[in-house]
PDB file of all heavy atoms in Angstrom:
ATOM      1  N   VAL H  16      -1.356 -56.199  43.237  1.00  0.00           N
ATOM      2  CA  VAL H  16      -1.462 -56.737  41.730  1.00  0.00           C
ATOM      3  C   VAL H  16      -2.848 -57.051  41.333  1.00  0.00           C
ATOM      4  O   VAL H  16      -3.756 -57.333  42.220  1.00  0.00           O
ATOM      5  CB  VAL H  16      -0.511 -57.933  41.837  1.00  0.00           C
ATOM      6  CG1 VAL H  16      -1.118 -59.135  42.428  1.00  0.00           C
ATOM      7  CG2 VAL H  16      -0.270 -58.417  40.267  1.00  0.00           C
ATOM      8  N   THR H  17      -3.097 -57.006  40.098  1.00  0.00           N
ATOM      9  CA  THR H  17      -4.163 -57.555  39.408  1.00  0.00           C
ATOM     10  C   THR H  17      -3.776 -58.075  38.101  1.00  0.00           C
ATOM     11  O   THR H  17      -2.806 -57.630  37.459  1.00  0.00           O
ATOM     12  CB  THR H  17      -5.323 -56.493  39.114  1.00  0.00           C
ATOM     13  OG1 THR H  17      -4.826 -55.334  38.417  1.00  0.00           O
ATOM     14  CG2 THR H  17      -5.980 -55.994  40.290  1.00  0.00           C
ATOM     15  N   LEU H  18      -4.383 -59.259  37.730  1.00  0.00           N
ATOM     16  CA  LEU H  18      -3.976 -59.823  36.437  1.00  0.00           C
ATOM     17  C   LEU H  18      -5.023 -59.635  35.334  1.00  0.00           C
ATOM     18  O   LEU H  18      -6.237 -59.987  35.512  1.00  0.00           O
ATOM     19  CB  LEU H  18      -3.734 -61.340  36.678  1.00  0.00           C
ATOM     20  CG  LEU H  18      -2.585 -61.739  37.609  1.00  0.00           C
ATOM     21  CD1 LEU H  18      -2.513 -63.206  37.596  1.00  0.00           C
ATOM     22  CD2 LEU H  18      -1.272 -61.146  37.111  1.00  0.00           C
ATOM     23  N   GLY H  19      -4.634 -59.066  34.125  1.00  0.00           N
ATOM     24  CA  GLY H  19      -5.447 -59.085  33.046  1.00  0.00           C
ATOM     25  C   GLY H  19      -5.289 -60.198  32.052  1.00  0.00           C
ATOM     26  O   GLY H  19      -4.138 -60.592  31.826  1.00  0.00           O
ATOM     27  N   LYS H  20      -6.281 -60.894  31.711  1.00  0.00           N
ATOM     28  CA  LYS H  20      -6.205 -62.149  30.851  1.00  0.00           C
ATOM     29  C   LYS H  20      -6.905 -61.976  29.637  1.00  0.00           C
ATOM     30  O   LYS H  20      -7.990 -61.530  29.444  1.00  0.00           O
ATOM     31  CB  LYS H  20      -6.829 -63.257  31.681  1.00  0.00           C
ATOM     32  CG  LYS H  20      -6.338 -63.554  33.080  1.00  0.00           C
ATOM     33  CD  LYS H  20      -7.266 -64.477  33.837  1.00  0.00           C
ATOM     34  CE  LYS H  20      -8.525 -63.887  34.259  1.00  0.00           C
ATOM     35  NZ  LYS H  20      -8.465 -62.496  35.048  1.00  0.00           N
ATOM     36  N   LYS H  21      -6.111 -62.129  28.414  1.00  0.00           N
ATOM     37  CA  LYS H  21      -6.730 -61.715  27.150  1.00  0.00           C
ATOM     38  C   LYS H  21      -7.968 -62.460  26.728  1.00  0.00           C
ATOM     39  O   LYS H  21      -8.744 -61.789  26.001  1.00  0.00           O
ATOM     40  CB  LYS H  21      -5.537 -62.036  26.116  1.00  0.00           C
ATOM     41  CG  LYS H  21      -4.289 -61.091  26.469  1.00  0.00           C
ATOM     42  CD  LYS H  21      -4.462 -59.656  26.429  1.00  0.00           C
ATOM     43  CE  LYS H  21      -3.234 -58.939  26.712  1.00  0.00           C
ATOM     44  NZ  LYS H  21      -3.401 -57.587  27.238  1.00  0.00           N
ATOM     45  N   PRO H  22      -8.236 -63.717  26.989  1.00  0.00           N
ATOM     46  CA  PRO H  22      -9.461 -64.301  26.546  1.00  0.00           C
ATOM     47  C   PRO H  22     -10.605 -64.232  27.493  1.00  0.00           C
ATOM     48  O   PRO H  22     -11.763 -64.723  27.132  1.00  0.00           O
ATOM     49  CB  PRO H  22      -8.945 -65.718  26.328  1.00  0.00           C
ATOM     50  CG  PRO H  22      -8.086 -65.992  27.572  1.00  0.00           C
ATOM     51  CD  PRO H  22      -7.325 -64.665  27.555  1.00  0.00           C
ATOM     52  N   VAL H  23     -10.485 -63.625  28.655  1.00  0.00           N
ATOM     53  CA  VAL H  23     -11.603 -63.588  29.543  1.00  0.00           C
ATOM     54  C   VAL H  23     -12.514 -62.368  29.476  1.00  0.00           C
ATOM     55  O   VAL H  23     -12.089 -61.212  29.308  1.00  0.00           O
ATOM     56  CB  VAL H  23     -11.011 -63.633  30.993  1.00  0.00           C
ATOM     57  CG1 VAL H  23     -12.129 -63.500  31.981  1.00  0.00           C
ATOM     58  CG2 VAL H  23     -10.151 -64.897  31.158  1.00  0.00           C
ATOM     59  N   ARG H  24     -13.865 -62.530  29.453  1.00  0.00           N
ATOM     60  CA  ARG H  24     -14.724 -61.534  29.127  1.00  0.00           C
ATOM     61  C   ARG H  24     -15.639 -61.246  30.358  1.00  0.00           C
ATOM     62  O   ARG H  24     -16.601 -60.458  30.190  1.00  0.00           O
ATOM     63  CB  ARG H  24     -15.517 -61.822  27.916  1.00  0.00           C
ATOM     64  CG  ARG H  24     -14.709 -62.041  26.716  1.00  0.00           C
ATOM     65  CD  ARG H  24     -15.467 -62.365  25.452  1.00  0.00           C
ATOM     66  NE  ARG H  24     -16.163 -61.146  24.975  1.00  0.00           N
ATOM     67  CZ  ARG H  24     -16.905 -61.020  23.866  1.00  0.00           C
ATOM     68  NH1 ARG H  24     -17.085 -62.163  23.139  1.00  0.00           N
ATOM     69  NH2 ARG H  24     -17.486 -59.972  23.491  1.00  0.00           N
ATOM     70  N   ALA H  25     -15.421 -61.803  31.488  1.00  0.00           N
ATOM     71  CA  ALA H  25     -16.129 -61.593  32.745  1.00  0.00           C
ATOM     72  C   ALA H  25     -15.681 -60.317  33.301  1.00  0.00           C
ATOM     73  O   ALA H  25     -14.414 -60.235  33.674  1.00  0.00           O
ATOM     74  CB  ALA H  25     -16.099 -62.818  33.648  1.00  0.00           C
ATOM     75  N   ILE H  26     -16.395 -59.143  33.424  1.00  0.00           N
ATOM     76  CA  ILE H  26     -15.871 -57.912  33.750  1.00  0.00           C
ATOM     77  C   ILE H  26     -15.162 -57.975  35.183  1.00  0.00           C
ATOM     78  O   ILE H  26     -14.124 -57.346  35.302  1.00  0.00           O
ATOM     79  CB  ILE H  26     -17.069 -56.861  33.788  1.00  0.00           C
ATOM     80  CG1 ILE H  26     -16.466 -55.478  34.117  1.00  0.00           C
ATOM     81  CG2 ILE H  26     -18.244 -57.306  34.636  1.00  0.00           C
ATOM     82  CD1 ILE H  26     -15.389 -54.977  33.180  1.00  0.00           C
ATOM     83  N   LYS H  27     -15.764 -58.616  36.253  1.00  0.00           N
ATOM     84  CA  LYS H  27     -15.081 -58.593  37.496  1.00  0.00           C
ATOM     85  C   LYS H  27     -13.904 -59.532  37.510  1.00  0.00           C
ATOM     86  O   LYS H  27     -13.180 -59.503  38.591  1.00  0.00           O
ATOM     87  CB  LYS H  27     -16.183 -59.042  38.483  1.00  0.00           C
ATOM     88  CG  LYS H  27     -17.260 -57.957  38.633  1.00  0.00           C
ATOM     89  CD  LYS H  27     -18.175 -58.292  39.860  1.00  0.00           C
ATOM     90  CE  LYS H  27     -19.172 -57.152  40.056  1.00  0.00           C
ATOM     91  NZ  LYS H  27     -19.941 -57.349  41.333  1.00  0.00           N
ATOM     92  N   MET H  28     -13.491 -60.102  36.463  1.00  0.00           N
ATOM     93  CA  MET H  28     -12.347 -61.028  36.455  1.00  0.00           C
ATOM     94  C   MET H  28     -11.246 -60.373  35.436  1.00  0.00           C
ATOM     95  O   MET H  28     -10.248 -60.905  35.247  1.00  0.00           O
ATOM     96  CB  MET H  28     -12.674 -62.439  35.950  1.00  0.00           C
ATOM     97  CG  MET H  28     -13.656 -63.105  36.820  1.00  0.00           C
ATOM     98  SD  MET H  28     -13.078 -63.440  38.352  1.00  0.00           S
ATOM     99  CE  MET H  28     -14.379 -62.539  39.422  1.00  0.00           C
ATOM    100  N   ASP H  29     -11.451 -59.056  35.065  1.00  0.00           N
ATOM    101  CA  ASP H  29     -10.694 -58.587  33.962  1.00  0.00           C
ATOM    102  C   ASP H  29      -9.340 -58.080  34.473  1.00  0.00           C
ATOM    103  O   ASP H  29      -8.406 -57.990  33.796  1.00  0.00           O
ATOM    104  CB  ASP H  29     -11.459 -57.367  33.232  1.00  0.00           C
ATOM    105  CG  ASP H  29     -10.619 -56.879  32.041  1.00  0.00           C
ATOM    106  OD1 ASP H  29     -10.220 -57.703  31.324  1.00  0.00           O
ATOM    107  OD2 ASP H  29     -10.466 -55.642  31.916  1.00  0.00           O
ATOM    108  N   GLY H  30      -9.259 -57.803  35.703  1.00  0.00           N
ATOM    109  CA  GLY H  30      -7.952 -57.495  36.357  1.00  0.00           C
ATOM    110  C   GLY H  30      -7.308 -56.188  36.171  1.00  0.00           C
ATOM    111  O   GLY H  30      -6.138 -55.806  36.324  1.00  0.00           O
ATOM    112  N   VAL H  31      -8.182 -55.143  35.876  1.00  0.00           N
ATOM    113  CA  VAL H  31      -7.796 -53.612  35.809  1.00  0.00           C
ATOM    114  C   VAL H  31      -8.150 -53.115  37.196  1.00  0.00           C
ATOM    115  O   VAL H  31      -9.210 -52.897  37.419  1.00  0.00           O
ATOM    116  CB  VAL H  31      -8.304 -52.900  34.677  1.00  0.00           C
ATOM    117  CG1 VAL H  31      -7.868 -51.437  34.594  1.00  0.00           C
ATOM    118  CG2 VAL H  31      -8.115 -53.668  33.396  1.00  0.00           C
ATOM    119  N   PRO H  32      -7.059 -52.623  37.912  1.00  0.00           N
ATOM    120  CA  PRO H  32      -7.369 -52.175  39.346  1.00  0.00           C
ATOM    121  C   PRO H  32      -8.247 -50.838  39.284  1.00  0.00           C
ATOM    122  O   PRO H  32      -8.075 -49.897  38.450  1.00  0.00           O
ATOM    123  CB  PRO H  32      -6.074 -51.705  39.818  1.00  0.00           C
ATOM    124  CG  PRO H  32      -5.053 -51.605  38.579  1.00  0.00           C
ATOM    125  CD  PRO H  32      -5.628 -52.541  37.617  1.00  0.00           C
ATOM    126  N   TRP H  33      -9.308 -50.894  39.921  1.00  0.00           N
ATOM    127  CA  TRP H  33     -10.280 -49.757  40.300  1.00  0.00           C
ATOM    128  C   TRP H  33     -10.968 -49.523  39.014  1.00  0.00           C
ATOM    129  O   TRP H  33     -11.850 -48.534  38.964  1.00  0.00           O
ATOM    130  CB  TRP H  33      -9.597 -48.489  40.737  1.00  0.00           C
ATOM    131  CG  TRP H  33      -8.796 -48.797  41.930  1.00  0.00           C
ATOM    132  CD1 TRP H  33      -7.469 -48.572  42.149  1.00  0.00           C
ATOM    133  CD2 TRP H  33      -9.175 -49.304  43.252  1.00  0.00           C
ATOM    134  NE1 TRP H  33      -6.962 -48.903  43.228  1.00  0.00           N
ATOM    135  CE2 TRP H  33      -8.068 -49.438  44.071  1.00  0.00           C
ATOM    136  CE3 TRP H  33     -10.357 -49.745  43.670  1.00  0.00           C
ATOM    137  CZ2 TRP H  33      -8.074 -49.848  45.309  1.00  0.00           C
ATOM    138  CZ3 TRP H  33     -10.500 -50.246  44.975  1.00  0.00           C
ATOM    139  CH2 TRP H  33      -9.269 -50.228  45.779  1.00  0.00           C
ATOM    140  N   VAL H  34     -11.052 -50.365  37.987  1.00  0.00           N
ATOM    141  CA  VAL H  34     -11.979 -50.328  36.882  1.00  0.00           C
ATOM    142  C   VAL H  34     -12.894 -51.571  36.869  1.00  0.00           C
ATOM    143  O   VAL H  34     -14.072 -51.464  36.989  1.00  0.00           O
ATOM    144  CB  VAL H  34     -11.264 -50.234  35.571  1.00  0.00           C
ATOM    145  CG1 VAL H  34     -12.219 -50.417  34.387  1.00  0.00           C
ATOM    146  CG2 VAL H  34     -10.423 -48.972  35.388  1.00  0.00           C
ATOM    147  N   SER H  35     -12.262 -52.742  36.906  1.00  0.00           N
ATOM    148  CA  SER H  35     -13.186 -53.944  37.044  1.00  0.00           C
ATOM    149  C   SER H  35     -13.153 -54.537  38.323  1.00  0.00           C
ATOM    150  O   SER H  35     -13.932 -55.302  38.722  1.00  0.00           O
ATOM    151  CB  SER H  35     -12.553 -55.022  36.002  1.00  0.00           C
ATOM    152  OG  SER H  35     -11.215 -55.184  36.039  1.00  0.00           O
ATOM    153  N   MET H  36     -11.994 -54.279  39.084  1.00  0.00           N
ATOM    154  CA  MET H  36     -11.868 -54.884  40.463  1.00  0.00           C
ATOM    155  C   MET H  36     -10.793 -54.086  41.240  1.00  0.00           C
ATOM    156  O   MET H  36     -10.027 -53.426  40.786  1.00  0.00           O
ATOM    157  CB  MET H  36     -11.379 -56.243  40.203  1.00  0.00           C
ATOM    158  CG  MET H  36     -10.061 -56.515  39.576  1.00  0.00           C
ATOM    159  SD  MET H  36      -9.564 -58.182  39.267  1.00  0.00           S
ATOM    160  CE  MET H  36      -9.094 -58.545  41.051  1.00  0.00           C
ATOM    161  N   PRO H  37     -10.758 -54.271  42.584  1.00  0.00           N
ATOM    162  CA  PRO H  37      -9.776 -53.583  43.518  1.00  0.00           C
ATOM    163  C   PRO H  37      -8.524 -54.569  43.289  1.00  0.00           C
ATOM    164  O   PRO H  37      -8.668 -55.762  42.940  1.00  0.00           O
ATOM    165  CB  PRO H  37     -10.438 -53.707  44.857  1.00  0.00           C
ATOM    166  CG  PRO H  37     -11.344 -54.864  44.729  1.00  0.00           C
ATOM    167  CD  PRO H  37     -11.910 -54.929  43.443  1.00  0.00           C
ATOM    168  N   PRO H  38      -7.388 -53.854  43.551  1.00  0.00           N
ATOM    169  CA  PRO H  38      -6.182 -54.628  43.366  1.00  0.00           C
ATOM    170  C   PRO H  38      -6.026 -55.885  44.572  1.00  0.00           C
ATOM    171  O   PRO H  38      -6.661 -55.603  45.552  1.00  0.00           O
ATOM    172  CB  PRO H  38      -5.032 -53.652  43.587  1.00  0.00           C
ATOM    173  CG  PRO H  38      -5.613 -52.559  44.313  1.00  0.00           C
ATOM    174  CD  PRO H  38      -7.041 -52.511  43.859  1.00  0.00           C
ATOM    175  N   VAL H  39      -5.296 -56.851  44.298  1.00  0.00           N
ATOM    176  CA  VAL H  39      -5.069 -57.788  45.296  1.00  0.00           C
ATOM    177  C   VAL H  39      -3.972 -57.412  46.231  1.00  0.00           C
ATOM    178  O   VAL H  39      -2.833 -57.265  45.869  1.00  0.00           O
ATOM    179  CB  VAL H  39      -4.693 -59.191  44.670  1.00  0.00           C
ATOM    180  CG1 VAL H  39      -4.502 -60.242  45.681  1.00  0.00           C
ATOM    181  CG2 VAL H  39      -5.670 -59.654  43.644  1.00  0.00           C
ATOM    182  N   MET H  40      -4.229 -57.173  47.508  1.00  0.00           N
ATOM    183  CA  MET H  40      -3.291 -56.537  48.385  1.00  0.00           C
ATOM    184  C   MET H  40      -2.371 -57.484  48.923  1.00  0.00           C
ATOM    185  O   MET H  40      -2.533 -58.761  48.783  1.00  0.00           O
ATOM    186  CB  MET H  40      -4.038 -55.793  49.527  1.00  0.00           C
ATOM    187  CG  MET H  40      -5.022 -54.847  49.076  1.00  0.00           C
ATOM    188  SD  MET H  40      -4.398 -53.350  48.145  1.00  0.00           S
ATOM    189  CE  MET H  40      -3.398 -52.474  49.315  1.00  0.00           C
ATOM    190  N   PRO H  41      -1.100 -57.079  49.512  1.00  0.00           N
ATOM    191  CA  PRO H  41      -0.171 -57.977  49.999  1.00  0.00           C
ATOM    192  C   PRO H  41      -0.799 -58.869  51.060  1.00  0.00           C
ATOM    193  O   PRO H  41      -1.551 -58.495  51.936  1.00  0.00           O
ATOM    194  CB  PRO H  41       0.875 -57.065  50.599  1.00  0.00           C
ATOM    195  CG  PRO H  41       0.748 -55.911  49.863  1.00  0.00           C
ATOM    196  CD  PRO H  41      -0.743 -55.693  49.476  1.00  0.00           C
ATOM    197  N   GLY H  42      -0.633 -60.129  50.933  1.00  0.00           N
ATOM    198  CA  GLY H  42      -1.119 -61.175  51.834  1.00  0.00           C
ATOM    199  C   GLY H  42      -2.516 -61.721  51.540  1.00  0.00           C
ATOM    200  O   GLY H  42      -2.943 -62.587  52.043  1.00  0.00           O
ATOM    201  N   GLU H  43      -3.233 -61.079  50.604  1.00  0.00           N
ATOM    202  CA  GLU H  43      -4.642 -61.417  50.173  1.00  0.00           C
ATOM    203  C   GLU H  43      -4.540 -62.555  49.031  1.00  0.00           C
ATOM    204  O   GLU H  43      -3.625 -62.706  48.409  1.00  0.00           O
ATOM    205  CB  GLU H  43      -5.319 -60.237  49.647  1.00  0.00           C
ATOM    206  CG  GLU H  43      -5.680 -59.178  50.684  1.00  0.00           C
ATOM    207  CD  GLU H  43      -6.558 -58.071  50.108  1.00  0.00           C
ATOM    208  OE1 GLU H  43      -6.781 -58.044  48.818  1.00  0.00           O
ATOM    209  OE2 GLU H  43      -7.114 -57.261  50.884  1.00  0.00           O
ATOM    210  N   THR H  44      -5.550 -63.219  48.981  1.00  0.00           N
ATOM    211  CA  THR H  44      -5.875 -64.225  47.894  1.00  0.00           C
ATOM    212  C   THR H  44      -7.167 -63.693  47.162  1.00  0.00           C
ATOM    213  O   THR H  44      -8.186 -63.459  47.900  1.00  0.00           O
ATOM    214  CB  THR H  44      -5.971 -65.585  48.401  1.00  0.00           C
ATOM    215  OG1 THR H  44      -4.715 -65.960  49.118  1.00  0.00           O
ATOM    216  CG2 THR H  44      -6.330 -66.595  47.306  1.00  0.00           C
ATOM    217  N   PHE H  45      -7.065 -63.740  45.912  1.00  0.00           N
ATOM    218  CA  PHE H  45      -8.225 -63.538  45.076  1.00  0.00           C
ATOM    219  C   PHE H  45      -8.585 -64.641  44.217  1.00  0.00           C
ATOM    220  O   PHE H  45      -7.626 -65.246  43.600  1.00  0.00           O
ATOM    221  CB  PHE H  45      -8.047 -62.201  44.121  1.00  0.00           C
ATOM    222  CG  PHE H  45      -9.161 -61.869  43.346  1.00  0.00           C
ATOM    223  CD1 PHE H  45     -10.389 -61.247  43.884  1.00  0.00           C
ATOM    224  CD2 PHE H  45      -9.219 -62.314  41.992  1.00  0.00           C
ATOM    225  CE1 PHE H  45     -11.445 -60.938  43.082  1.00  0.00           C
ATOM    226  CE2 PHE H  45     -10.390 -61.984  41.140  1.00  0.00           C
ATOM    227  CZ  PHE H  45     -11.359 -61.248  41.735  1.00  0.00           C
ATOM    228  N   GLN H  46      -9.750 -65.054  44.062  1.00  0.00           N
ATOM    229  CA  GLN H  46     -10.202 -66.207  43.224  1.00  0.00           C
ATOM    230  C   GLN H  46     -10.699 -65.679  41.893  1.00  0.00           C
ATOM    231  O   GLN H  46     -11.755 -65.025  41.857  1.00  0.00           O
ATOM    232  CB  GLN H  46     -11.238 -67.015  43.906  1.00  0.00           C
ATOM    233  CG  GLN H  46     -11.605 -68.334  43.139  1.00  0.00           C
ATOM    234  CD  GLN H  46     -12.599 -69.217  43.925  1.00  0.00           C
ATOM    235  OE1 GLN H  46     -13.830 -68.883  43.870  1.00  0.00           O
ATOM    236  NE2 GLN H  46     -12.022 -70.114  44.772  1.00  0.00           N
ATOM    237  N   TYR H  47     -10.010 -66.039  40.917  1.00  0.00           N
ATOM    238  CA  TYR H  47     -10.415 -65.655  39.547  1.00  0.00           C
ATOM    239  C   TYR H  47     -11.386 -66.753  38.979  1.00  0.00           C
ATOM    240  O   TYR H  47     -10.970 -67.956  39.031  1.00  0.00           O
ATOM    241  CB  TYR H  47      -9.277 -65.509  38.482  1.00  0.00           C
ATOM    242  CG  TYR H  47      -8.489 -64.190  38.560  1.00  0.00           C
ATOM    243  CD1 TYR H  47      -7.460 -64.087  39.584  1.00  0.00           C
ATOM    244  CD2 TYR H  47      -8.890 -63.079  37.913  1.00  0.00           C
ATOM    245  CE1 TYR H  47      -6.830 -62.931  39.659  1.00  0.00           C
ATOM    246  CE2 TYR H  47      -8.092 -61.953  37.927  1.00  0.00           C
ATOM    247  CZ  TYR H  47      -6.988 -61.820  38.750  1.00  0.00           C
ATOM    248  OH  TYR H  47      -6.354 -60.675  38.791  1.00  0.00           O
ATOM    249  N   ARG H  48     -12.621 -66.378  38.612  1.00  0.00           N
ATOM    250  CA  ARG H  48     -13.617 -67.422  38.176  1.00  0.00           C
ATOM    251  C   ARG H  48     -14.115 -66.910  36.849  1.00  0.00           C
ATOM    252  O   ARG H  48     -14.697 -65.870  36.763  1.00  0.00           O
ATOM    253  CB  ARG H  48     -14.622 -67.655  39.267  1.00  0.00           C
ATOM    254  CG  ARG H  48     -15.622 -68.751  39.085  1.00  0.00           C
ATOM    255  CD  ARG H  48     -16.680 -68.814  40.157  1.00  0.00           C
ATOM    256  NE  ARG H  48     -17.682 -69.863  39.885  1.00  0.00           N
ATOM    257  CZ  ARG H  48     -17.522 -71.087  40.170  1.00  0.00           C
ATOM    258  NH1 ARG H  48     -16.378 -71.589  40.637  1.00  0.00           N
ATOM    259  NH2 ARG H  48     -18.486 -71.908  39.931  1.00  0.00           N
ATOM    260  N   PHE H  49     -14.014 -67.864  35.824  1.00  0.00           N
ATOM    261  CA  PHE H  49     -14.501 -67.331  34.528  1.00  0.00           C
ATOM    262  C   PHE H  49     -14.819 -68.462  33.706  1.00  0.00           C
ATOM    263  O   PHE H  49     -14.414 -69.643  33.929  1.00  0.00           O
ATOM    264  CB  PHE H  49     -13.377 -66.518  33.834  1.00  0.00           C
ATOM    265  CG  PHE H  49     -12.103 -67.264  33.760  1.00  0.00           C
ATOM    266  CD1 PHE H  49     -11.603 -68.183  32.764  1.00  0.00           C
ATOM    267  CD2 PHE H  49     -11.178 -67.073  34.916  1.00  0.00           C
ATOM    268  CE1 PHE H  49     -10.440 -68.822  32.895  1.00  0.00           C
ATOM    269  CE2 PHE H  49      -9.797 -67.711  34.872  1.00  0.00           C
ATOM    270  CZ  PHE H  49      -9.522 -68.631  33.929  1.00  0.00           C
ATOM    271  N   THR H  50     -15.655 -68.237  32.653  1.00  0.00           N
ATOM    272  CA  THR H  50     -16.140 -69.319  31.628  1.00  0.00           C
ATOM    273  C   THR H  50     -15.394 -68.937  30.376  1.00  0.00           C
ATOM    274  O   THR H  50     -15.467 -67.906  29.811  1.00  0.00           O
ATOM    275  CB  THR H  50     -17.619 -69.230  31.511  1.00  0.00           C
ATOM    276  OG1 THR H  50     -18.221 -69.474  32.789  1.00  0.00           O
ATOM    277  CG2 THR H  50     -18.076 -70.288  30.509  1.00  0.00           C
ATOM    278  N   LEU H  51     -14.838 -69.942  29.869  1.00  0.00           N
ATOM    279  CA  LEU H  51     -13.997 -69.773  28.549  1.00  0.00           C
ATOM    280  C   LEU H  51     -15.002 -69.939  27.446  1.00  0.00           C
ATOM    281  O   LEU H  51     -15.943 -70.657  27.400  1.00  0.00           O
ATOM    282  CB  LEU H  51     -13.094 -70.989  28.452  1.00  0.00           C
ATOM    283  CG  LEU H  51     -11.842 -70.901  29.493  1.00  0.00           C
ATOM    284  CD1 LEU H  51     -10.996 -72.181  29.264  1.00  0.00           C
ATOM    285  CD2 LEU H  51     -11.059 -69.687  29.295  1.00  0.00           C
ATOM    286  N   GLN H  52     -14.841 -68.935  26.445  1.00  0.00           N
ATOM    287  CA  GLN H  52     -15.577 -68.879  25.284  1.00  0.00           C
ATOM    288  C   GLN H  52     -14.988 -69.157  23.986  1.00  0.00           C
ATOM    289  O   GLN H  52     -15.597 -69.087  22.891  1.00  0.00           O
ATOM    290  CB  GLN H  52     -16.380 -67.385  25.294  1.00  0.00           C
ATOM    291  CG  GLN H  52     -17.155 -67.140  26.480  1.00  0.00           C
ATOM    292  CD  GLN H  52     -17.888 -65.813  26.479  1.00  0.00           C
ATOM    293  OE1 GLN H  52     -17.598 -64.995  25.534  1.00  0.00           O
ATOM    294  NE2 GLN H  52     -18.662 -65.556  27.501  1.00  0.00           N
ATOM    295  N   GLN H  53     -13.690 -69.417  24.048  1.00  0.00           N
ATOM    296  CA  GLN H  53     -12.947 -69.663  22.834  1.00  0.00           C
ATOM    297  C   GLN H  53     -11.656 -70.234  23.188  1.00  0.00           C
ATOM    298  O   GLN H  53     -11.089 -70.159  24.217  1.00  0.00           O
ATOM    299  CB  GLN H  53     -12.756 -68.472  22.035  1.00  0.00           C
ATOM    300  CG  GLN H  53     -11.700 -67.438  22.453  1.00  0.00           C
ATOM    301  CD  GLN H  53     -12.322 -66.350  23.582  1.00  0.00           C
ATOM    302  OE1 GLN H  53     -13.454 -66.111  23.647  1.00  0.00           O
ATOM    303  NE2 GLN H  53     -11.452 -66.061  24.478  1.00  0.00           N
ATOM    304  N   SER H  54     -11.073 -71.020  22.235  1.00  0.00           N
ATOM    305  CA  SER H  54      -9.755 -71.606  22.521  1.00  0.00           C
ATOM    306  C   SER H  54      -8.639 -70.622  21.793  1.00  0.00           C
ATOM    307  O   SER H  54      -8.996 -69.761  21.112  1.00  0.00           O
ATOM    308  CB  SER H  54      -9.734 -72.972  21.883  1.00  0.00           C
ATOM    309  OG  SER H  54      -9.986 -72.912  20.588  1.00  0.00           O
ATOM    310  N   GLY H  55      -7.313 -71.085  22.065  1.00  0.00           N
ATOM    311  CA  GLY H  55      -6.347 -70.257  21.317  1.00  0.00           C
ATOM    312  C   GLY H  55      -5.118 -69.992  22.281  1.00  0.00           C
ATOM    313  O   GLY H  55      -5.064 -70.315  23.364  1.00  0.00           O
ATOM    314  N   THR H  56      -4.299 -69.168  21.673  1.00  0.00           N
ATOM    315  CA  THR H  56      -3.085 -68.711  22.389  1.00  0.00           C
ATOM    316  C   THR H  56      -3.257 -67.261  22.874  1.00  0.00           C
ATOM    317  O   THR H  56      -3.468 -66.283  22.106  1.00  0.00           O
ATOM    318  CB  THR H  56      -1.889 -68.682  21.281  1.00  0.00           C
ATOM    319  OG1 THR H  56      -1.669 -70.091  20.780  1.00  0.00           O
ATOM    320  CG2 THR H  56      -0.554 -68.259  22.000  1.00  0.00           C
ATOM    321  N   TYR H  57      -3.207 -67.157  24.105  1.00  0.00           N
ATOM    322  CA  TYR H  57      -3.355 -65.868  24.839  1.00  0.00           C
ATOM    323  C   TYR H  57      -2.277 -65.767  25.950  1.00  0.00           C
ATOM    324  O   TYR H  57      -1.246 -66.532  25.954  1.00  0.00           O
ATOM    325  CB  TYR H  57      -4.709 -65.751  25.483  1.00  0.00           C
ATOM    326  CG  TYR H  57      -5.823 -66.053  24.489  1.00  0.00           C
ATOM    327  CD1 TYR H  57      -6.453 -67.332  24.391  1.00  0.00           C
ATOM    328  CD2 TYR H  57      -6.250 -65.062  23.597  1.00  0.00           C
ATOM    329  CE1 TYR H  57      -7.441 -67.685  23.376  1.00  0.00           C
ATOM    330  CE2 TYR H  57      -7.292 -65.380  22.663  1.00  0.00           C
ATOM    331  CZ  TYR H  57      -7.854 -66.642  22.602  1.00  0.00           C
ATOM    332  OH  TYR H  57      -8.863 -66.895  21.761  1.00  0.00           O
TER     333      TYR H  57
END
């Protein structure tokens, strides 16, 4: 799995497999780290 997050603009946290990052494999843990640049509903 990878998770795409609408307000996040850090490329390696974008969550598109093999575009911005490799997928999170079964049993693995991935740490999403990002700086928020705006508020709102996403």
